[in-house]
Amino acid sequence: MKLWLRSGRCLATGAVFAVIVVMTGCAGMQQTMARAGDAVRNHGGTLVGVAAGAAAGALLCDNNDRVKCAVVGGAAGAALGYLWDKRQARLRRIAKQQDLPITTSKIKTFNAAKDNGVATAINDGGMFASGSARLKPAAARKMRALAAVYKDNPQSLLVIGHTDSTGSDRFNLTLSQKRAYTVASLLADQGIDRSRIYFQGVGESQPIASNDTAAGRLANRRVEIVETDSERSIAAYSLEQESDPRFLAYSNKTAAEQRQISAPKPAPAGPSSPRVAANQAKASAAEAGPQSPHAGRTRTASSASSSASEVDFGGHPATSDISKIVAAAGPRAGGGGGLSFIGTARAAEPAAISPCYMNSPRQTAAVHNLASGKALDSSAISESSYWPGLNGNVWLATVHSNLVAVKNLRVMAGSGTVAGQPQVLVYRHYHGAAKHPDYRMAAHTRSYKGQDGVIIRSYFGRGNPMQCMDVVMANTSQRVAKAGVLYYDRGRQLYENDIRLHRLGASD
């Protein structure tokens, strides 16, 4: 066995070394080794592809064919690695010529065994006039030059529009969708097959910098072009971005908005009239947002009782400290690029994960195909396995004599996204006899993968007894959640209390 593994490693190492020799020429071993460093920097993807392909080929074949398979696998890996290296180099060259600020990175979606695409972020926050989806003339010229890179390739393209948090969530989501469509249409006008172009608006849901500074807002207003090997990988990339905890490093609210949220509420003028109650219900539905790209997911927040009657969950006035949530989740799962869970895309700016109540529900539009106009069905990614314990089980916790039950919570293991429509039920002053909940809330829920657990962040909309909840579920078979905090209005102030969910039928 040891000999067999050693043989595989030698093959991979030999394949890498062979490529270095080929690329740097045969002008002698000393000169070759001196150039090897440059080769690694410029052709890193190729080398990794060779190593991965050779190793995979060697492991899949028997002893007699292992060398042959390693060579074939290495060649296939080299071809893919070279493709993405070449693509990035050309994008950077054209961007430099056009004075267009971009960043490129290779991607590996959860449905792929190796790198399967390149993501290019166009960090030009001035491409569009404020509030407009029309490209400025200079930006359009630069984008036409960049389009040449994608013109003669068979890969699928996804254009993603991002905004800062200025304006309402709904306005930003719509604006980002229109901007993504504008850029996607420009690519098609340059001769790229419309059927392989997709577009998506994600609004302010994926910030990479603080929305409190002009520079940060400029960074958040960006367009991303993702080139990958298939429609399935387009769907996979979109799902993974939705559950990527890097974007929690910055709130989608400004500091001023967060202070306003945290401030004590003014004293009520009197009992709510039916008209006020109707307006509250309308605001709640608007807050819940539009349909998600996931089949079957609904963003509607509703309650069996639309009354704003309080439920006392105990606890203490809310703080901004959620260190126990962050600690329970652990570093970012996957850790692509070595980013930590609270790592930032802009290291010069401070970043910290803030509680759910200091954010608003993060909404994304569906991915649409440019040719057909149809939304991409994310079920094209046939994920068959769930996160351990999160396959629709019922979870319960008693908080200050009130029973809280979480139903229909399903998190997919591959993408880490929530499937279906979770519900949260509240039984006031529960003594084991109540059959019907006092509140039945449809939650707007997102999940974010850490190495030690997944953060489940849920919002309930106005008129419900809880405002939002952060819970961490372990990444192994579990009976008890690792940590949890719920937030609710108590009088004129926001309160928090711990919640420890147990799986139905399980105990400590």
Side-chain angles (χ1 to χ4, degrees):
M1 184 66 176
K2 290 182 178 178
L3 179 62
W4 186 77
L5 291 174
R6 188 161 57 244
S7 174
R9 285 196 295 270
C10 289
L11 286 168
T13 305
V16 174
F17 185 75
V19 170
I20 294 174
V21 171
V22 170
M23 289 180 173
T24 57
C26 299
M29 182 63 70
Q30 186 174 3
Q31 185 180 13
T32 298
M33 294 307 294
R35 292 177 178 174
D38 291 337
V40 169
R41 283 188 291 276
N42 296 328
H43 303 284
T46 306
L47 301 180
V48 171
V50 169
L59 292 172
L60 289 172
C61 297
D62 59 26
N63 288 335
N64 294 332
D65 294 329
R66 191 159 292 140
V67 172
K68 185 188 300 181
C69 290
V71 172
V72 172
L80 286 172
Y82 181 67
L83 169 67
W84 304 127
D85 283 343
K86 184 179 178 183
R87 188 79 77 249
Q88 287 189 97
R90 192 175 175 199
L91 285 165
R92 291 169 184 159
R93 184 169 64 252
I94 292 178
K96 185 176 181 180
Q97 292 169 354
Q98 297 293 324
D99 191 25
L100 188 63
I102 69 167
T103 55
T104 67
S105 59
K106 281 179 288 191
I107 62 172
K108 187 186 86 61
T109 54
F110 70 87
N111 63 319
K114 56 177 75 70
D115 292 340
N116 61 337
V118 169
T120 301
I122 302 161
N123 306 306
D124 185 355
M127 293 173 66
F128 301 91
S130 178
S132 170
R134 185 172 183 179
L135 278 166
K136 294 178 179 178
R141 174 177 52 76
K142 294 176 182 180
M143 290 304 302
R144 283 194 287 271
L146 205 63
V149 179
Y150 303 108
K151 185 175 179 180
D152 299 321
N153 301 303
Q155 282 73 31
S156 298
L157 299 174
L158 171 63
V159 181
I160 306 174
H162 302 261
T163 69
D164 61 31
S165 68
T166 305
S168 72
D169 298 1
R170 184 173 293 275
F171 174 83
N172 287 328
L173 185 62
T174 302
L175 179 62
S176 66
Q177 184 82 344
K178 290 179 178 177
R179 286 177 172 176
Y181 176 81
T182 296
V183 174
S185 298
L186 181 146
L187 296 178
D189 291 343
Q190 300 311 301
I192 300 174
D193 182 0
R194 300 175 76 89
S195 67
R196 66 182 184 92
I197 301 176
Y198 300 80
F199 64 98
Q200 180 188 28
V202 297
E204 61 191 47
S205 67
Q206 296 172 9
I208 58 172
S210 169
N211 282 296
D212 291 318
T213 66
R217 291 190 293 275
L218 192 70
N220 289 334
R221 295 194 299 269
R222 65 195 190 278
V223 171
E224 193 177 355
I225 301 177
V226 181
E227 179 184 17
T228 189
D229 54 0
S230 68
E231 182 182 85
R232 290 168 56 86
S233 297
I234 292 284
Y237 183 84
S238 175
L239 292 175
E240 284 185 318
Q241 294 298 290
E242 186 178 300
S243 61
D244 193 329
R246 287 180 304 166
F247 301 123
L248 288 182
Y250 293 101
S251 171
N252 59 347
K253 293 298 174 190
T254 64
E257 290 172 325
Q258 292 178 31
R259 285 193 296 272
Q260 186 177 12
I261 292 170
S262 305
K265 309 286 186 301
S272 295
S273 68
R275 183 173 180 179
V276 171
N279 287 339
Q280 287 179 335
K282 183 178 179 181
S284 178
E287 187 174 296
Q291 290 280 349
S292 143
H294 298 281
R297 178 183 298 175
T298 305
R299 299 280 178 77
T300 303
S302 61
S303 166
S305 168
S306 61
S307 165
S309 299
E310 291 184 359
V311 178
D312 185 1
F313 290 105
H316 55 81
T319 71
S320 60
D321 180 16
I322 58 165
S323 55
K324 55 189 168 190
I325 296 294
V326 174
R332 175 188 172 218
L339 294 172
S340 69
F341 183 71
I342 56 173
T344 72
R346 297 168 62 84
E349 295 184 349
I353 296 178
S354 51
C356 55
Y357 75 87
M358 287 187 172
N359 294 257
S360 59
R362 302 199 178 206
Q363 301 170 2
T364 58
V367 175
H368 285 81
N369 180 264
L370 187 64
S372 67
K374 294 181 178 178
L376 180 60
D377 183 0
S378 61
S379 64
I381 299 295
S382 55
E383 293 187 75
S384 58
S385 58
Y386 292 101
W387 195 275
L390 302 183
N391 57 353
N393 288 320
V394 177
W395 293 79
L396 303 170
T398 301
V399 185
H400 202 62
S401 80
N402 305 295
L403 181 68
V404 178
V406 180
K407 296 177 59 180
N408 303 326
L409 177 58
R410 294 180 174 84
V411 175
M412 308 311 300
S415 64
T417 52
V418 175
Q421 176 63 71
Q423 279 192 335
V424 175
L425 315 181
V426 177
Y427 300 78
R428 299 179 67 182
H429 310 303
Y430 185 73
H431 299 293
K435 294 183 178 179
H436 302 289
D438 295 285
Y439 294 89
R440 185 188 300 273
M441 302 176 287
H444 173 117
T445 303
R446 284 283 189 272
S447 53
Y448 301 92
K449 293 196 296 183
Q451 287 186 10
D452 302 326
V454 59
I455 294 178
I456 308 296
R457 174 163 284 187
S458 301
Y459 292 88
F460 305 105
R462 279 176 278 179
N464 286 306
M466 289 193 295
Q467 190 175 116
C468 64
M469 182 168 67
D470 284 327
V471 174
V472 179
M473 300 292 195
N475 59 3
T476 57
S477 182
Q478 56 192 318
R479 298 156 64 93
V480 184
K482 296 188 71 177
V485 183
L486 65 81
Y487 300 89
Y488 73 104
D489 289 319
R490 180 176 177 179
R492 296 170 52 199
Q493 191 143 10
L494 186 68
Y495 268 60
E496 69 173 65
N497 201 0
D498 290 347
I499 179 170
R500 193 170 191 196
L501 292 167
H502 294 70
R503 199 173 67 208
L504 182 63
S507 60
D508 286 316

Short mmCIF file of all heavy atoms in Angstrom, two decimals, residues 47-88:
data_model
loop_
_atom_site.label_atom_id
_atom_site.label_comp_id
_atom_site.label_asym_id
_atom_site.label_seq_id
_atom_site.Cartn_x
_atom_site.Cartn_y
_atom_site.Cartn_z
N LEU A 47 0.13 23.69 -13.54
CA LEU A 47 0.87 22.74 -12.72
C LEU A 47 -0.04 21.99 -11.78
O LEU A 47 0.09 20.78 -11.61
CB LEU A 47 1.95 23.50 -11.93
CG LEU A 47 2.97 24.25 -12.80
CD1 LEU A 47 3.98 24.96 -11.91
CD2 LEU A 47 3.67 23.29 -13.75
N VAL A 48 -0.95 22.71 -11.17
CA VAL A 48 -1.90 22.04 -10.28
C VAL A 48 -2.75 21.06 -11.07
O VAL A 48 -3.04 19.94 -10.64
CB VAL A 48 -2.79 23.07 -9.57
CG1 VAL A 48 -3.92 22.38 -8.82
CG2 VAL A 48 -1.95 23.91 -8.61
N GLY A 49 -3.15 21.47 -12.27
CA GLY A 49 -3.95 20.59 -13.11
C GLY A 49 -3.20 19.33 -13.48
O GLY A 49 -3.74 18.22 -13.45
N VAL A 50 -1.92 19.48 -13.80
CA VAL A 50 -1.11 18.31 -14.13
C VAL A 50 -1.03 17.37 -12.93
O VAL A 50 -1.24 16.17 -13.04
CB VAL A 50 0.31 18.74 -14.57
CG1 VAL A 50 1.22 17.52 -14.65
CG2 VAL A 50 0.24 19.45 -15.91
N ALA A 51 -0.71 17.95 -11.78
CA ALA A 51 -0.56 17.13 -10.58
C ALA A 51 -1.84 16.41 -10.25
O ALA A 51 -1.84 15.20 -9.97
CB ALA A 51 -0.12 18.01 -9.41
N ALA A 52 -2.96 17.16 -10.27
CA ALA A 52 -4.25 16.55 -9.93
C ALA A 52 -4.63 15.48 -10.94
O ALA A 52 -5.08 14.38 -10.58
CB ALA A 52 -5.34 17.62 -9.86
N GLY A 53 -4.43 15.79 -12.22
CA GLY A 53 -4.80 14.84 -13.26
C GLY A 53 -3.94 13.59 -13.21
O GLY A 53 -4.43 12.46 -13.33
N ALA A 54 -2.62 13.77 -13.00
CA ALA A 54 -1.73 12.62 -12.95
C ALA A 54 -2.04 11.75 -11.74
O ALA A 54 -2.09 10.52 -11.84
CB ALA A 54 -0.28 13.11 -12.89
N ALA A 55 -2.25 12.38 -10.61
CA ALA A 55 -2.55 11.61 -9.41
C ALA A 55 -3.85 10.86 -9.55
O ALA A 55 -3.95 9.67 -9.20
CB ALA A 55 -2.62 12.55 -8.20
N ALA A 56 -4.89 11.55 -10.08
CA ALA A 56 -6.18 10.88 -10.26
C ALA A 56 -6.06 9.72 -11.24
O ALA A 56 -6.60 8.64 -11.00
CB ALA A 56 -7.22 11.89 -10.76
N GLY A 57 -5.34 9.94 -12.32
CA GLY A 57 -5.17 8.88 -13.30
C GLY A 57 -4.46 7.67 -12.71
O GLY A 57 -4.84 6.53 -12.93
N ALA A 58 -3.41 7.94 -11.91
CA ALA A 58 -2.66 6.84 -11.31
C ALA A 58 -3.51 6.06 -10.32
O ALA A 58 -3.44 4.84 -10.23
CB ALA A 58 -1.41 7.40 -10.60
N LEU A 59 -4.32 6.76 -9.56
CA LEU A 59 -5.12 6.10 -8.53
C LEU A 59 -6.26 5.29 -9.13
O LEU A 59 -6.74 4.33 -8.51
CB LEU A 59 -5.68 7.15 -7.56
CG LEU A 59 -4.63 7.83 -6.68
CD1 LEU A 59 -5.27 8.98 -5.90
CD2 LEU A 59 -3.99 6.83 -5.72
N LEU A 60 -6.72 5.66 -10.30
CA LEU A 60 -7.87 4.98 -10.88
C LEU A 60 -7.52 3.72 -11.65
O LEU A 60 -8.38 2.95 -12.03
CB LEU A 60 -8.63 5.95 -11.81
CG LEU A 60 -9.38 7.07 -11.10
CD1 LEU A 60 -9.93 8.07 -12.12
CD2 LEU A 60 -10.51 6.51 -10.25
N CYS A 61 -6.25 3.52 -11.95
CA CYS A 61 -5.86 2.38 -12.78
C CYS A 61 -5.14 1.33 -11.95
O CYS A 61 -4.65 1.60 -10.85
CB CYS A 61 -4.96 2.85 -13.92
SG CYS A 61 -5.80 3.98 -15.04
N ASP A 62 -5.04 0.12 -12.53
CA ASP A 62 -4.33 -0.93 -11.81
C ASP A 62 -2.83 -0.80 -12.08
O ASP A 62 -2.38 0.07 -12.81
CB ASP A 62 -4.86 -2.30 -12.19
CG ASP A 62 -4.72 -2.56 -13.69
OD1 ASP A 62 -3.82 -1.97 -14.32
OD2 ASP A 62 -5.53 -3.35 -14.22
N ASN A 63 -2.07 -1.70 -11.49
CA ASN A 63 -0.61 -1.57 -11.53
C ASN A 63 -0.05 -1.53 -12.94
O ASN A 63 0.86 -0.77 -13.25
CB ASN A 63 0.03 -2.73 -10.75
CG ASN A 63 -0.18 -2.55 -9.25
OD1 ASN A 63 -0.35 -1.43 -8.80
ND2 ASN A 63 -0.17 -3.65 -8.52
N ASN A 64 -0.62 -2.36 -13.81
CA ASN A 64 -0.06 -2.47 -15.15
C ASN A 64 -0.24 -1.20 -15.97
O ASN A 64 0.55 -0.90 -16.85
CB ASN A 64 -0.71 -3.65 -15.89
CG ASN A 64 -0.33 -4.97 -15.25
OD1 ASN A 64 0.74 -5.09 -14.64
ND2 ASN A 64 -1.22 -5.95 -15.36
N ASP A 65 -1.34 -0.46 -15.70
CA ASP A 65 -1.65 0.71 -16.53
C ASP A 65 -1.43 2.02 -15.79
O ASP A 65 -1.80 3.07 -16.28
CB ASP A 65 -3.12 0.65 -16.99
CG ASP A 65 -3.35 -0.53 -17.92
OD1 ASP A 65 -2.41 -0.90 -18.65
OD2 ASP A 65 -4.47 -1.08 -17.90
N ARG A 66 -0.85 1.95 -14.59
CA ARG A 66 -0.82 3.16 -13.76
C ARG A 66 0.01 4.28 -14.41
O ARG A 66 -0.40 5.44 -14.40
CB ARG A 66 -0.26 2.81 -12.39
CG ARG A 66 -0.44 3.93 -11.39
CD ARG A 66 -0.37 3.44 -9.98
NE ARG A 66 -1.51 2.60 -9.68
CZ ARG A 66 -1.47 1.49 -8.97
NH1 ARG A 66 -0.32 1.09 -8.49
NH2 ARG A 66 -2.55 0.80 -8.73
N VAL A 67 1.14 3.96 -14.98
CA VAL A 67 1.98 4.99 -15.59
C VAL A 67 1.25 5.63 -16.77
O VAL A 67 1.21 6.86 -16.91
CB VAL A 67 3.33 4.39 -16.03
CG1 VAL A 67 4.12 5.43 -16.84
CG2 VAL A 67 4.13 3.94 -14.83
N LYS A 68 0.65 4.77 -17.59
CA LYS A 68 -0.07 5.28 -18.76
C LYS A 68 -1.22 6.19 -18.33
O LYS A 68 -1.42 7.28 -18.88
CB LYS A 68 -0.62 4.10 -19.58
CG LYS A 68 -1.27 4.51 -20.89
CD LYS A 68 -1.97 3.35 -21.57
CE LYS A 68 -0.98 2.24 -21.87
NZ LYS A 68 -1.64 1.11 -22.55
N CYS A 69 -1.97 5.75 -17.31
CA CYS A 69 -3.11 6.55 -16.85
C CYS A 69 -2.64 7.86 -16.25
O CYS A 69 -3.30 8.89 -16.39
CB CYS A 69 -3.92 5.77 -15.83
SG CYS A 69 -4.81 4.38 -16.56
N ALA A 70 -1.52 7.83 -15.55
CA ALA A 70 -1.01 9.07 -14.95
C ALA A 70 -0.65 10.09 -16.03
O ALA A 70 -0.93 11.28 -15.90
CB ALA A 70 0.21 8.77 -14.09
N VAL A 71 -0.07 9.60 -17.10
CA VAL A 71 0.31 10.50 -18.20
C VAL A 71 -0.95 11.11 -18.84
O VAL A 71 -1.03 12.32 -19.08
CB VAL A 71 1.14 9.75 -19.25
CG1 VAL A 71 1.35 10.64 -20.48
CG2 VAL A 71 2.48 9.33 -18.66
N VAL A 72 -1.95 10.24 -19.09
CA VAL A 72 -3.18 10.73 -19.71
C VAL A 72 -3.90 11.71 -18.79
O VAL A 72 -4.34 12.78 -19.20
CB VAL A 72 -4.12 9.54 -20.05
CG1 VAL A 72 -5.49 10.05 -20.52
CG2 VAL A 72 -3.48 8.67 -21.12
N GLY A 73 -3.99 11.33 -17.50
CA GLY A 73 -4.64 12.23 -16.54
C GLY A 73 -3.90 13.52 -16.40
O GLY A 73 -4.50 14.60 -16.33
N GLY A 74 -2.58 13.47 -16.38
CA GLY A 74 -1.80 14.69 -16.28
C GLY A 74 -2.00 15.59 -17.47
O GLY A 74 -2.10 16.82 -17.35
N ALA A 75 -2.08 15.00 -18.65
CA ALA A 75 -2.30 15.80 -19.86
C ALA A 75 -3.65 16.49 -19.83
O ALA A 75 -3.78 17.67 -20.17
CB ALA A 75 -2.21 14.90 -21.09
N ALA A 76 -4.69 15.76 -19.38
CA ALA A 76 -6.03 16.36 -19.28
C ALA A 76 -6.04 17.49 -18.27
O ALA A 76 -6.61 18.56 -18.50
CB ALA A 76 -7.05 15.29 -18.91
N GLY A 77 -5.40 17.25 -17.13
CA GLY A 77 -5.34 18.29 -16.11
C GLY A 77 -4.58 19.51 -16.61
O GLY A 77 -4.97 20.65 -16.34
N ALA A 78 -3.51 19.26 -17.35
CA ALA A 78 -2.73 20.38 -17.88
C ALA A 78 -3.56 21.22 -18.83
O ALA A 78 -3.47 22.45 -18.84
CB ALA A 78 -1.50 19.83 -18.60
N ALA A 79 -4.37 20.54 -19.66
CA ALA A 79 -5.19 21.28 -20.63
C ALA A 79 -6.16 22.21 -19.93
O ALA A 79 -6.31 23.38 -20.29
CB ALA A 79 -5.94 20.28 -21.52
N LEU A 80 -6.84 21.71 -18.89
CA LEU A 80 -7.80 22.55 -18.17
C LEU A 80 -7.10 23.67 -17.41
O LEU A 80 -7.51 24.82 -17.45
CB LEU A 80 -8.61 21.69 -17.19
CG LEU A 80 -9.67 20.80 -17.83
CD1 LEU A 80 -10.26 19.86 -16.79
CD2 LEU A 80 -10.77 21.66 -18.45
N GLY A 81 -6.01 23.31 -16.72
CA GLY A 81 -5.28 24.33 -15.98
C GLY A 81 -4.74 25.41 -16.90
O GLY A 81 -4.80 26.60 -16.60
N TYR A 82 -4.24 24.99 -18.06
CA TYR A 82 -3.70 25.95 -19.03
C TYR A 82 -4.80 26.86 -19.55
O TYR A 82 -4.59 28.06 -19.75
CB TYR A 82 -3.04 25.18 -20.16
CG TYR A 82 -2.42 26.07 -21.22
CD1 TYR A 82 -1.31 26.85 -20.91
CD2 TYR A 82 -2.95 26.13 -22.50
CE1 TYR A 82 -0.74 27.67 -21.87
CE2 TYR A 82 -2.40 26.94 -23.47
CZ TYR A 82 -1.29 27.71 -23.14
OH TYR A 82 -0.73 28.53 -24.10
N LEU A 83 -5.99 26.30 -19.78
CA LEU A 83 -7.10 27.09 -20.29
C LEU A 83 -7.41 28.25 -19.34
O LEU A 83 -7.52 29.40 -19.76
CB LEU A 83 -8.34 26.20 -20.44
CG LEU A 83 -9.66 26.95 -20.71
CD1 LEU A 83 -9.63 27.61 -22.08
CD2 LEU A 83 -10.84 26.00 -20.60
N TRP A 84 -7.55 27.95 -18.04
CA TRP A 84 -7.93 29.01 -17.09
C TRP A 84 -6.79 29.97 -16.85
O TRP A 84 -7.02 31.17 -16.65
CB TRP A 84 -8.42 28.38 -15.79
CG TRP A 84 -9.56 27.42 -15.98
CD1 TRP A 84 -9.63 26.14 -15.55
CD2 TRP A 84 -10.79 27.66 -16.68
NE1 TRP A 84 -10.82 25.56 -15.93
CE2 TRP A 84 -11.55 26.47 -16.62
CE3 TRP A 84 -11.31 28.75 -17.37
CZ2 TRP A 84 -12.81 26.35 -17.20
CZ3 TRP A 84 -12.57 28.64 -17.96
CH2 TRP A 84 -13.30 27.45 -17.87
N ASP A 85 -5.56 29.47 -16.87
CA ASP A 85 -4.41 30.38 -16.75
C ASP A 85 -4.38 31.36 -17.92
O ASP A 85 -4.17 32.57 -17.76
CB ASP A 85 -3.10 29.59 -16.73
CG ASP A 85 -2.84 28.94 -15.38
OD1 ASP A 85 -3.48 29.35 -14.39
OD2 ASP A 85 -2.01 28.01 -15.33
N LYS A 86 -4.58 30.80 -19.11
CA LYS A 86 -4.52 31.62 -20.32
C LYS A 86 -5.63 32.66 -20.31
O LYS A 86 -5.43 33.82 -20.70
CB LYS A 86 -4.65 30.71 -21.54
CG LYS A 86 -4.51 31.42 -22.88
CD LYS A 86 -4.63 30.40 -24.02
CE LYS A 86 -4.55 31.11 -25.38
NZ LYS A 86 -4.73 30.13 -26.49
N ARG A 87 -6.81 32.24 -19.88
CA ARG A 87 -7.94 33.15 -19.85
C ARG A 87 -7.68 34.33 -18.89
O ARG A 87 -7.92 35.49 -19.22
CB ARG A 87 -9.20 32.41 -19.40
CG ARG A 87 -10.44 33.25 -19.52
CD ARG A 87 -10.97 33.32 -20.94
NE ARG A 87 -11.67 32.08 -21.28
CZ ARG A 87 -11.21 31.19 -22.17
NH1 ARG A 87 -10.09 31.38 -22.82
NH2 ARG A 87 -11.90 30.08 -22.44
N GLN A 88 -7.16 34.01 -17.72
CA GLN A 88 -6.89 35.08 -16.76
C GLN A 88 -5.84 36.05 -17.29
O GLN A 88 -5.97 37.27 -17.14
CB GLN A 88 -6.41 34.48 -15.43
CG GLN A 88 -7.50 33.79 -14.63
CD GLN A 88 -7.01 33.41 -13.26
OE1 GLN A 88 -7.23 34.13 -12.29
NE2 GLN A 88 -6.32 32.29 -13.17
#
